[in-house]
Amino acid sequence: MNESQYDSICGAVNTKELRCVDVAVIGAGISGLAVADQLIRAGLSVSVLEARARVGGRLLGSPLDLGASWFWPGEHRVMALTQRLAIETFEQYRTGDALIDDIAGLQRYPGNPIDVPSYRIAGGTSALAAALTAELPPGTLHLQQPVHEITSDLHVATREHRWQAHHVVIALPPALAVHSITLPPELPTDLIDVAARTPVWMGDSVKVVAHFKEPFWRRDGLAGAAMSRRGPLTELHDMSGPAGEPAALFGFARAASMHADIERDIRDQLIRMFGKQAPEPIEVLIQDWSREQWTVPPDTYGLPDYAKFGHPMYQQPALAGRLHWSSTETAPSYAGHIEGALAAAERTVTSILGNCAATT
Ligand SMILES: Cc1cc2nc3c(=O)[nH]c(=O)nc-3n(C[C@H](O)[C@H](O)[C@H](O)COP(=O)(O)OP(=O)(O)OC[C@H]3O[C@@H](n4cnc5c(N)ncnc54)[C@H](O)[C@@H]3O)c2cc1C
């Protein structure tokens, strides 16, 4: 479908108040950006509406990742995207011994049973979102436009603007969509119920990155991988860039363990685990995802039912094939991963292009 064909369906021309597009994509995370990229290449007009002042969603930080860090062997969509966008990848550093920080004391564990083989992205995973954004035609992306309503006839409203679309893609966690967007009343109640109870992947996590002058632990034969029962960091990994530059360790902490002086506790833990010779970090970055209003709604903390991921109801578009679910949580395989977000995007694009072919 081209724009003039769409205008005849839409029956309106673009104005400041109402913009007509083939597809309105809500959310400029990796899934929404991948949908937009592929539909624009197929010749459709697309607007991407993003609540935050930045793209990437749960891909954040450059070069130090505060959201996703890894992709794994077999995740061919991520690998193919890095190749297409000429983004450098490298293997996760895993060489050396691991540490176990138990209640009884610190143990050095020969070899590294904690890290599995994985890949990283030079410049951080947000480089994927930045590169896809750079390929969007001017005027496609609209930042700081939180969508608060999708009507039955697919008007999409933010506080400042309205769009009329032939297809709408909800590329944000389903529980957040149900919480923050007034959805068309025709949507089946069991679909709304599934969406409201689908957990937000890593939505209750805190990621902590300790940035050092050099990867000093490697000199001591340590991989940087560790588990801790004492915390506040429960699991640690080397998060240095290619060839150890920039040098960094990252750890996950529980949102419930955050308090005003948490950085002091984290610095103390690093000294406890890596020894008094461990230098002070240049900086400690703390990203508490449970407090991010555009990732996780307030009342979903600890939703337990991960079997809702990739639910069959997400695989079929609603509203006569025109309303699509496309975040990582909706993917039947690799849900939660970047690969899952790309798989969901792929299904959405196939569905929209199939629907367009059927109606033209
Ligand atoms: C700490 C952490 C570590 C992770 N580690 C890994 C890892 O190592 N490997 C891996 O594969 N995955 C990892 N993940 C998961 C990975 O980040 C996600 O699978 C992926 O980024 C999800 O992309 P998405 O596009 O589906 O959703 P999101 O990235 O959440 O994008 C949704 C977008 O919608 C926007 N939005 C929300 N509400 C609205 C609204 N009302 N109107 C308009 N826009 C809206 C948001 O601002 C956001 O930009 C991690 C995640 C976290 C938080």
Side-chain angles (χ1 to χ4, degrees), residues 27 29-31 50-52 57-58 68-70 147 171 327-328 336-338:
I30 191 66
S31 192
E50 167 56 46
R52 290 177 166 107
R58 281 170 277 178
S69 293
W70 297 302
V147 169
S327 77
T328 190
H337 293 189
I338 301 170

Side-chain angles (χ1 to χ4, degrees), residues 26-32 49-52 56-59 66-70 72 145-147 171-173 176 180-181 201-202 205 207 252 289 294 327-328 336-338 341:
I26 306 174
I30 191 66
S31 192
L49 316 177
E50 167 56 46
R52 290 177 166 107
R58 281 170 277 178
L59 309 185
L66 294 169
S69 293
W70 297 302
W72 290 272
Q145 295 294 320
V147 169
L172 54 132
L176 180 62
S180 57
I181 302 177
W201 182 249
M202 303 297 279
S205 69
K207 185 157 177 177
F252 290 115
W289 286 95
W294 301 120
S327 77
T328 190
H337 293 189
I338 301 170

Side-chain angles (χ1 to χ4, degrees), residues 87-103:
I87 289 175
E88 185 193 341
T89 63
F90 62 101
E91 286 183 23
Q92 167 70 28
Y93 186 85
R94 297 189 300 128
T95 309
D97 297 342
L99 295 175
I100 308 291
D101 180 34
D102 218 332
I103 307 295

Side-chain angles (χ1 to χ4, degrees), residues 1 22-23 44 166-167 351-360:
M1 184 187 304
D22 294 330
V23 184
L44 273 64
H166 198 59
H167 289 267
S351 170
I352 291 175
L353 294 180
N355 181 288
C356 288
T359 55
T360 52

Side-chain angles (χ1 to χ4, degrees), residues 28-40:
I30 191 66
S31 192
L33 290 170
V35 168
D37 171 65
Q38 291 168 50
L39 292 180
I40 288 167

Side-chain angles (χ1 to χ4, degrees), residues 93-98 109-116 223-226:
Y93 186 85
R94 297 189 300 128
T95 309
D97 297 342
Y109 199 100
N112 175 2
I114 295 173
D115 287 320
V116 296

